[in-house]
Amino acid sequence: MSISRSAFKHVVLVIPVFVVASWATAGGEDFEPDRAVIRLALGANIADIHQQFGTLTVDVVAGRSVFLLDLPDGVSEENFAAELAADPRVIWADVNYIARDPGPGTQSFYLARTFMDYQNQYPRTLTRLPEAHQIASGIGIRIAVLDNGIDASHPQFAGAILPGGYNFVHNSTDVSDSAAGIDSDQDGLFDEMLGHGTFVSGLIRMTAPGAGILPVKVLDSNGWTTTFRVAEGIDFAVSSGVHVINLSLGSPGDGTVWSEAISWAEQAGVIVVAASGNDGNEQPGWNPARVPDVVAVASTDSFDTRSPFSNYGVYIDLCAPGSDIVSTLPGGGYGFASGTSAATPMVAGVVALMQEARPGLNAAQYRQILIEATDSVVAQNPGFEGLLGNGRLNAQRAVLRLCPADFNHDRVVNTGDFFDFLAAFYEVSPRADFNSDGLITSQDFFDFLTEFVQGCPV
């Protein structure tokens, strides 16, 4: 959620100080100048690469032999990456793409709201969060928020912030959502993304109040980063034992480095949820939402219609409320904003509910159940069939679909579930609304009976 820019610069970390450098542009994709990212093959030596090409190591993801290199003056970043990609000592090579928060909306656009506005807002009822919270709250689940930090002193985060977060912008343990006082993109605005990470984290807290939040700072206070830095953050989060990673950020560039990091996260059982971007376009799309292993999230409003700013496309997995959302702000307050940045953490939070309700599934299984459990929005969005994912997030259905026949949620399907359902059905209890259509009819009974006979589907 940051204001759009037509021309920009960025603070680049060059050991040991910050300097301002202009970003290069090629084919509409922006990347860091004088930098390239490579992954060495087994047995290859980075010193040999440096000796041959005159490069220097800026940073490294040691466990995967991924290096961020400083290039000699006058060397084309794209040509260098292409040459190294063909080198047998190198598995892949790429430029270091710029990534950012999806935009639009800035700290100055946050309109003041109250705790009651936060507590009673429409996404809670629309996605059936209160019903889902009767089953799970995310206890024991760790969610990494890769963003510009969190104001951990906000009352809403009491007991929720996990120790051990890291700041990859300044290479420190300070993960606060704080002002830097620097106009790093030279657009005349200072610290315009102050509050973004706190806002995102507040929606995770609302959706999964029992989950722990690990702050990983990869965006600066103006909302800018690189694909290498995000990949570092993903690797760090996975190594820290998280279950879910929230990425309310992205780039039009492909970025092999973060695609590989996401694949590694998937293999480790970690689910990555990413915003689709706020350009209002289908093409070229937004990464890492387009990465196959990622849960890609578009934004809808209180009427289940596509938010005008939300990107869309065949790569979208599902949509969630992202228009007119209330969440936490630095300093203990609450604010009002819109963006796919807001839709994404709600999905990440529901994944945490699912993982608590039924641990032990792999990332692909959780992702499939989450997507299948959505409410259709086809009727509300003519012309966007197949471009907003399978539908809009339904927290209750996502949790129940893990094992629908386990009606009493004791993780065993037996006659106790059958009799508990019958009692709820004859009492016309809301719990008997098995198909979540707002009605209690014979169809609920037959749907439950079918699931009971089948047992758990996964």
Side-chain angles (χ1 to χ4, degrees):
M1 293 182 285
S2 71
I3 198 164
S4 59
R5 310 143 175 100
S6 57
F8 51 90
K9 295 184 179 180
H10 192 70
V11 173
V12 181
L13 183 60
V14 180
I15 300 172
V17 298
F18 286 104
V19 297
V20 178
S22 300
W23 292 118
T25 301
E29 295 180 339
D30 304 303
F31 50 84
E32 186 179 8
D34 304 321
R35 296 285 186 271
V37 186
I38 68 171
R39 181 183 173 195
L40 289 185
L42 184 64
N45 192 327
I46 191 64
D48 294 337
I49 300 293
H50 292 333
Q51 182 176 10
Q52 180 175 346
F53 295 98
T55 53
L56 296 171
T57 295
V58 178
D59 206 346
V60 59
V61 182
R64 294 194 293 112
S65 297
V66 175
F67 294 83
L68 176 63
L69 303 182
D70 179 65
L71 307 184
D73 292 342
V75 173
S76 163
E77 298 85 358
E78 291 180 305
N79 290 345
F80 177 84
E83 181 177 357
L84 265 289
D87 192 307
R89 297 168 296 180
V90 175
I91 294 177
W92 53 258
D94 206 350
V95 298
N96 192 24
Y97 288 104
I98 305 306
R100 59 180 173 86
D101 68 281
T106 83
Q107 165 218 357
S108 60
F109 284 37
Y110 292 131
L111 303 177
R113 289 294 186 269
T114 67
F115 169 75
M116 293 307 296
D117 295 327
Y118 168 76
Q119 189 69 16
N120 298 322
Q121 59 184 314
Y122 80 87
R124 292 177 57 87
T125 53
L126 189 64
T127 65
R128 301 180 76 98
L129 262 182
E131 293 87 349
H133 287 165
Q134 293 177 11
I135 304 168
S137 66
I139 293 174
I141 305 304
R142 301 162 60 92
I143 304 176
V145 177
L146 273 62
D147 216 285
N148 71 317
I150 299 174
D151 178 7
S153 67
H154 196 293
Q156 201 60 40
F157 297 131
I161 306 301
L162 298 169
Y166 194 76
N167 180 338
F168 284 94
V169 179
H170 303 108
N171 288 321
S172 74
T173 56
D174 178 9
V175 290
S176 60
D177 183 359
S178 56
I182 299 172
D183 179 15
S184 61
D185 51 10
Q186 300 293 296
D187 65 353
L189 298 173
F190 290 77
D191 302 312
E192 57 213 88
M193 284 315 304
L194 184 66
H196 189 269
T198 301
F199 194 93
V200 166
S201 299
L203 295 172
I204 287 177
R205 185 68 165 156
M206 179 188 77
T207 310
I213 298 173
L214 181 71
V216 182
K217 191 165 183 172
V218 296
L219 294 172
D220 69 11
S221 61
N222 282 298
W224 294 87
T225 187
T226 66
T227 51
F228 180 86
R229 188 187 295 162
V230 174
E232 283 187 300
I234 293 170
D235 279 39
F236 173 80
V238 173
S239 298
S240 299
V242 303
H243 303 88
V244 189
I245 295 175
N246 186 91
L247 297 177
S248 290
L249 52 80
S251 167
D254 289 334
T256 304
V257 61
W258 67 7
S259 297
E260 184 176 81
I262 288 166
S263 294
W264 180 54
E266 162 90 1
Q267 293 167 19
V270 179
I271 299 170
V272 180
V273 185
S276 62
N278 297 348
D279 303 309
N281 296 328
E282 181 177 4
Q283 296 295 336
W286 192 254
N287 279 304
R290 288 187 296 176
V291 175
D293 295 329
V294 166
V295 178
V297 183
S299 172
T300 46
D301 61 18
S302 59
F303 299 101
D304 279 340
T305 57
R306 182 184 71 88
S307 303
F309 54 78
S310 179
N311 286 351
Y312 53 94
V314 295
Y315 64 94
I316 301 297
D317 292 306
L318 77 166
C319 45
S323 291
D324 304 330
I325 305 300
V326 180
S327 190
T328 48
L329 292 182
Y334 298 85
F336 173 84
S338 297
T340 54
S341 281
T344 303
M346 296 188 205
V347 175
V350 170
V351 172
L353 303 184
M354 296 171 67
Q355 291 175 313
E356 182 203 341
R358 190 174 182 203
L361 303 184
N362 62 41
Q365 289 170 322
Y366 284 120
R367 188 169 61 244
Q368 179 182 353
I369 293 170
L370 172 74
I371 294 168
E372 291 177 349
T374 53
D375 292 333
S376 175
V377 295
V378 171
Q380 297 92 329
N381 295 277
F384 289 92
E385 294 85 353
L387 302 177
L388 294 173
N390 199 57
R392 191 251 308 131
L393 179 71
N394 185 319
Q396 180 192 31
R397 188 177 293 156
V399 173
L400 290 176
R401 200 179 181 95
L402 292 165
C403 184
D406 182 15
F407 190 73
N408 58 18
H409 314 305
D410 63 357
R411 299 181 183 174
V412 178
V413 177
N414 54 29
T415 55
D417 297 291
F418 182 79
F419 289 118
D420 284 351
F421 175 80
L422 280 185
F425 184 77
Y426 284 117
E427 292 170 4
V428 198
S429 167
R431 294 182 63 233
D433 182 13
F434 194 73
N435 56 18
S436 302
D437 65 356
L439 302 172
I440 299 172
T441 66
S442 59
Q443 189 61 50
D444 293 294
F445 176 81
F446 290 119
D447 287 349
F448 173 78
L449 188 61
T450 299
E451 296 290 351
F452 182 76
V453 171
Q454 292 178 349
C456 289
V458 179

